[in-house]
Amino acid sequence: MSETPPAPAHEARSLPGKPVADAVLADVARRVAKLREGGVQPSLATILVGDDDASAGYIRIKQRQAAELGFVSPHEHLPAGATQDDLHRVIDRLNADPAVHALLIQYPPPAHIDYDTALMTVDPDKDVDGMHPLNLGRLSVGLPGPRPCTPAGIEALLAHYEIPVAGHEVVILGRGATIGRPLAMLLSQKRPTANAAVTVVHTGVPDWQRYTRRADILVAAAGVPGIIQPEHVRPGATVIGAGVRYEGRKLLPDVAEEVARVAGALTPRVGGVGPTTVAMLFRNAVEAAEKATR
């Protein structure tokens, strides 16, 4: 008599970002084609200060993607010794150029360059990252404008996989300006893909685990490798890994691999939120071009 095989270990449903990004980028490509048919050439300008290999690589990837989607992508490369004023002069010129619809300053710049000060000089309507203070203000009151790319990508990912958000509890571990705070504003707005009860907690709260364990949807955005362990997750919850840190070229996510044994759905260690972030950047770019033609 054969023995009954052991029950398979629980494994969370995977939520890869590529199918979400592909759908967004297909829509962007259609919109770009429509603009070009009407005589408008959408443009995404990029600025790189210095010679960091990783930053230069990111710029090349974005320019290649821009070309595939039908954008033109003028590029400005300033030397490592460029001053803050040098950078501001380039930004001012691109702001004033009606042929440039969207503008990206590659982050991080060299240490002597104040990125936030440079961002303040970008025309908010050309701010492809959606991080200008005016655009964060627009988000806070529900006005149209470019949305921060990672939060918008997370909302799109949840919608794509039909994860219930409206009326459910979302807990965000991390209060940063790029993910935690804007995501809280985005997911609490009254919209079919949002309308959640959102709690933002951070590592300065001694019992932050008390909050994460009750979440229907947990977004890890602390930038602390492995901070989210199985015991910090409610069984069956959806877990979105948005925080990472790099050790050399090695990516260290906030969410431990073992969380897959507890969560109901989980973004993969690689290829989760990242592809959706890039897709939302191009969505912001095409929306900027459309706005400029109205």
Side-chain angles (χ1 to χ4, degrees):
M1 182 176 175
S2 61
E3 294 184 2
T4 302
H10 170 82
E11 189 72 20
R13 173 193 180 195
S14 182
L15 306 175
K18 187 176 184 303
V20 188
D22 287 347
V24 172
L25 293 175
D27 176 64
V28 169
R30 286 191 294 269
R31 293 160 73 175
V32 168
K34 184 177 179 180
L35 285 166
R36 294 179 67 173
E37 288 169 4
V40 177
Q41 175 58 70
S43 171
L44 167 61
T46 57
I47 301 174
L48 173 65
V49 184
D51 302 302
D52 180 76
D53 287 342
S55 292
Y58 293 140
I59 287 288
R60 285 193 295 271
I61 291 169
K62 289 166 185 170
Q63 287 184 315
R64 184 165 59 247
Q65 181 78 76
E68 290 173 359
L69 293 168
F71 289 90
V72 295
S73 189
H75 179 60
E76 298 283 346
H77 184 187
L78 281 69
T83 66
Q84 191 85 28
D85 285 343
D86 292 333
L87 174 56
H88 289 186
R89 278 191 287 272
V90 171
I91 294 170
D92 289 344
R93 176 163 50 80
L94 294 172
N95 281 342
D97 186 347
V100 172
H101 301 116
L103 174 57
L104 167 71
I105 307 169
Q106 182 60 42
Y107 182 87
H112 69 282
I113 297 291
D114 187 325
Y115 175 82
D116 291 334
T117 299
L119 179 62
M120 289 284 287
T121 69
V122 173
D123 179 343
D125 289 336
K126 297 188 179 188
D127 166 32
V128 77
D129 284 317
M131 292 304 301
H132 190 285
L134 178 60
N135 288 324
L136 293 177
R138 287 167 166 168
L139 171 61
S140 72
V141 295
L143 292 176
R147 298 303 189 222
C149 297
T150 299
I154 290 171
E155 182 180 4
L157 186 145
L158 292 169
H160 179 89
Y161 288 107
E162 299 182 342
I163 304 295
V165 177
H168 289 260
E169 181 161 17
V170 175
V171 174
I172 304 167
L173 179 63
R175 56 181 168 181
T178 57
I179 302 177
R181 279 177 276 167
L183 180 60
M185 289 190 286
L186 200 63
L187 292 185
S188 62
Q189 290 176 348
K190 193 172 183 179
R191 195 169 48 253
T193 54
N195 208 30
V198 182
T199 298
V200 178
V201 67
H202 52 85
T203 55
V205 177
D207 59 346
W208 57 262
Q209 303 91 340
R210 175 166 66 91
Y211 298 90
T212 64
R213 280 194 291 262
R214 75 187 193 198
D216 299 311
I217 299 168
L218 171 60
V219 180
V224 179
I227 189 171
I228 297 296
Q229 296 290 324
E231 61 269 25
H232 304 145
V233 177
R234 184 179 64 75
T238 295
V239 180
I240 307 295
V244 297
R245 185 176 292 177
Y246 284 89
E247 192 175 89
R249 291 186 175 273
K250 186 178 181 182
L251 181 146
L252 303 174
D254 280 9
V255 181
E257 292 182 12
E258 295 79 7
V259 168
R261 300 198 304 261
V262 177
L266 174 66
T267 51
R269 178 177 176 275
V270 177
V273 169
T276 68
T277 297
V278 175
M280 292 303 160
L281 182 144
F282 287 105
R283 189 176 75 176
N284 281 343
V286 75
E287 288 178 352
E290 290 168 341
K291 182 176 181 179
T293 64
R294 294 187 190 122

